[in-house]
């Protein structure tokens, strides 16, 4: 997607809940294909960078295949883009390891009632200390 198409667009999470608006893209110089979109989150105006390659169009709106908490947990984007050169690299690294909610694994876990806070494998209870 081109920068001019993205700017001002609303981005939603995988369920269609609005996350925020695109206010910038990275790389900032406009040359080449943008890799990350800077999104101003609706609640407190926090900024996050999201991968443009993961954006999909559903019913005329842009959606990410991620949950709101995944976007909120991503590295925050600084105020001054010229002094914080590491922000795009931290964001790209974060998204490289995040699993989309729409993936097969996530869909299986959600349909089975698995909560992200539960453990994948049950653990045995800790041994009871033996009184002497």
């Amino acid at each position: 997607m081109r920068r001019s198409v993205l700017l001002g667009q609303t981005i939603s999470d995988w369920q269609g809940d609005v996350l925020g608006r695109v206010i910038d893209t990275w790389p900032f110089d406009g040359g080449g294909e943008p890799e990350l979109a800077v999104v101003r989150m609706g609640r407190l105006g926090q900024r996050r960078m999201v991968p443009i390659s993961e954006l999909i169009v559903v019913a005329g709106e842009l959606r990410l295949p991620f949950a709101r908490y995944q976007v909120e947990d991503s590295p925050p984007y600084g105020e001054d883009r010229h002094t914080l050169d590491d922000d795009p690299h931290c964001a790209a690294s974060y998204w490289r390891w995040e699993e989309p909610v729409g993936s097969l694994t996530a869909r299986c876990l959600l349909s089975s009632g698995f909560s992200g806070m539960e453990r994948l494998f049950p653990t045995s209870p800790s041994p009871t200390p033996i009184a002497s």
Side-chain angles (χ1 to χ4, degrees):
M1 288 189 170
R2 291 190 349 245
R3 183 183 201 293
S4 60
V5 172
L6 289 170
L7 292 177
Q9 293 290 323
T10 301
I11 293 184
S12 303
D13 67 1
W14 72 284
Q15 293 179 314
D17 296 331
V18 175
L19 294 171
R21 289 194 177 279
V22 177
I23 58 171
D24 207 348
T25 59
W26 183 84
F28 304 118
D29 61 6
E33 290 290 319
E35 295 175 35
L36 299 166
V38 179
V39 177
R40 178 174 290 154
M41 303 288 287
R43 293 183 182 169
L44 302 173
Q46 298 174 344
R47 297 174 183 184
R48 298 291 191 264
M49 297 181 93
V50 298
I52 293 173
S53 62
E54 296 288 339
L55 288 173
I56 53 175
V57 179
V58 176
E61 67 179 23
L62 293 174
R63 285 194 188 176
L64 282 171
F66 300 103
R68 174 179 287 279
Y69 77 88
Q70 290 174 294
V71 177
E72 290 173 348
D73 286 350
S74 67
Y77 177 69
E79 293 295 320
D80 186 7
R81 71 180 186 189
H82 298 293
T83 59
L84 300 173
D85 294 332
D86 291 342
D87 287 348
H89 303 291
C90 289
S93 177
Y94 172 84
W95 291 112
R96 192 172 298 124
W97 297 104
E98 278 300 301
E99 177 132 5
V101 175
S103 71
L104 179 60
T105 304
R107 277 186 275 153
C108 291
L109 293 175
L110 290 173
S111 66
S112 68
F114 176 78
S115 165
M117 301 306 287
E118 295 176 20
R119 295 178 186 209
L120 278 175
F121 302 101
T123 57
S124 57
S126 60
T128 307
I130 300 173
S132 49

